[in-house]
Amino acid sequence: MVQPQPDGPMQWDMSGEDSGGVLRIPPELAGNEVVIRLLCDNQQLREALRRSNQTLRQRCEEMEGWQQKIREEREFLSCRFQDARLLVEKLALENHSLQCMVNGPGSSSNHSYTSSKSDVLPGHPARNGPLEEPKPD
């Protein structure tokens, strides 16, 4: 806070913690309209600043709560994603072992079955076996 020089005619009284600093003015300036108007404007500005600071504090607290919620949600989704990835890997291994059992031990064991989005068309089931030629009707 800006304070007047100690040698000036006005002095700040900062005795109260929440007093906001009371300005004691000499009696010869107390009746001056300009000084009264400036003091009133000063008080209005202090009040506006106090309200603005309070609003900013509330918004900051809301933002911190929102950020915490987002962090928790991100962590939850990350765990779910890891679980899903592990399940997909497990199912892919199980699928591969079933493929080996169906194809028999003598079939090409060098092939590893991988599926991609291009293998499955929307509305059509995925095919795990060899491609068949279309039969003429």
Side-chain angles (χ1 to χ4, degrees), residues 66-95:
W66 179 78
Q67 286 176 334
Q68 180 63 29
K69 181 181 173 184
I70 294 296
R71 261 192 298 275
E72 290 169 0
E73 186 176 341
R74 187 179 298 138
E75 184 177 328
F76 172 76
L77 291 175
S78 176
C79 289
R80 293 295 305 257
F81 177 75
Q82 289 294 89
D83 292 345
R85 185 176 7 187
L86 291 173
L87 181 60
V88 166
E89 289 174 1
K90 176 185 168 195
L91 291 174
L93 288 173
E94 184 179 335
N95 191 13

Side-chain angles (χ1 to χ4, degrees), residues 117-131:
K117 290 182 182 178
S118 62
D119 294 337
V120 180
L121 297 174
H124 294 78
R127 299 192 326 192
N128 294 334
L131 295 176

Side-chain angles (χ1 to χ4, degrees), residues 2-104:
V2 177
Q3 298 180 357
Q5 298 297 324
D7 58 350
M10 294 184 246
Q11 296 177 355
W12 286 99
D13 180 13
M14 302 293 280
S15 59
E17 186 175 305
D18 202 20
S19 68
V22 178
L23 181 64
R24 287 188 273 159
I25 52 176
E28 62 270 8
L29 292 177
N32 190 329
E33 275 186 49
V34 174
V35 172
I36 292 172
R37 193 182 86 232
L38 289 174
L39 288 173
C40 183
D41 289 349
N42 188 7
Q43 187 59 35
Q44 289 174 354
L45 289 171
R46 286 175 189 265
E47 185 60 28
L49 186 59
R50 187 193 62 75
R51 286 191 309 265
S52 175
N53 284 344
Q54 182 63 31
T55 302
L56 287 173
R57 280 189 201 99
Q58 289 172 346
R59 288 184 180 170
C60 184
E61 289 172 4
E62 291 171 6
M63 180 68 95
E64 288 172 347
W66 179 78
Q67 286 176 334
Q68 180 63 29
K69 181 181 173 184
I70 294 296
R71 261 192 298 275
E72 290 169 0
E73 186 176 341
R74 187 179 298 138
E75 184 177 328
F76 172 76
L77 291 175
S78 176
C79 289
R80 293 295 305 257
F81 177 75
Q82 289 294 89
D83 292 345
R85 185 176 7 187
L86 291 173
L87 181 60
V88 166
E89 289 174 1
K90 176 185 168 195
L91 291 174
L93 288 173
E94 184 179 335
N95 191 13
H96 179 68
S97 76
L98 290 173
Q99 285 287 331
C100 289
M101 287 173 35
V102 167
N103 293 337

